[in-house]
């Protein structure tokens, strides 16, 4: 991929797979945050195993444990969205202190 000018991969964003949501709580649209955690980690693991360029994990990172999971899956960086919206700057401190 480097020969094509790709410097890294951001994996993942949202999913349309609603299997992790109880049917009574399900709504239309993409899912982000905690429901994406497991699927995101699996994709990060797969990309990292098959690529030499950096992987930035995004999806389902809502605490230090989920950030650690992404690093253990092979991510070099994490990108926060939903977790940051719900937890605020304290999430950054928690991740830095516990990792």
């Amino acid at each position: 991929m480097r020969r094509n000018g790709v410097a890294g991969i951001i994996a993942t964003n949202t999913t349309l797979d609603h299997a992790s949501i109880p049917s009574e709580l399900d709504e239309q649209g993409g899912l982000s945050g905690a429901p994406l955690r497991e699927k995101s980690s699996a994709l990060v693991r797969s990309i990292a195993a098959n690529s030499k360029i950096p992987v930035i994990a995004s999806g389902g990172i809502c605490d230090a444990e989920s950030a650690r999971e992404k690093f253990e899956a092979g991510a070099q960086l994490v990108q926060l969205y939903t977790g940051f919206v719900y937890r605020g700057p304290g999430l950054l401190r928690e991740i830095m202190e516990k990792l």
Side-chain angles (χ1 to χ4, degrees):
M1 288 216 191
R2 287 184 187 242
R3 69 176 174 234
N4 294 321
V6 176
I9 297 173
I10 299 174
T12 61
N13 189 355
T14 61
T15 183
L16 294 175
D17 178 359
H18 290 216
S20 63
I21 302 296
S23 60
E24 65 274 6
L25 299 176
D26 196 14
E27 296 178 6
Q28 286 187 310
L31 293 177
S32 60
L36 186 58
R37 179 178 173 176
E38 190 175 312
K39 190 173 217 170
S40 171
S41 294
L43 186 57
V44 168
R45 192 172 295 108
S46 176
I47 293 169
N50 293 291
S51 177
K52 294 183 187 214
I53 64 174
V55 178
I56 302 166
S58 177
I61 304 166
C62 54
D63 54 23
E65 180 184 332
S66 53
R68 176 179 282 115
E69 180 179 291
K70 302 301 187 225
F71 288 122
E72 289 174 353
Q76 283 78 28
L77 298 167
V78 294
Q79 184 174 352
L80 306 173
Y81 284 111
T82 305
F84 188 71
V85 168
Y86 287 102
R87 300 272 318 275
L91 175 58
L92 302 175
R93 283 189 288 279
E94 176 190 328
I95 291 171
M96 294 303 296
E97 289 171 2
K98 292 186 177 181
L99 295 185

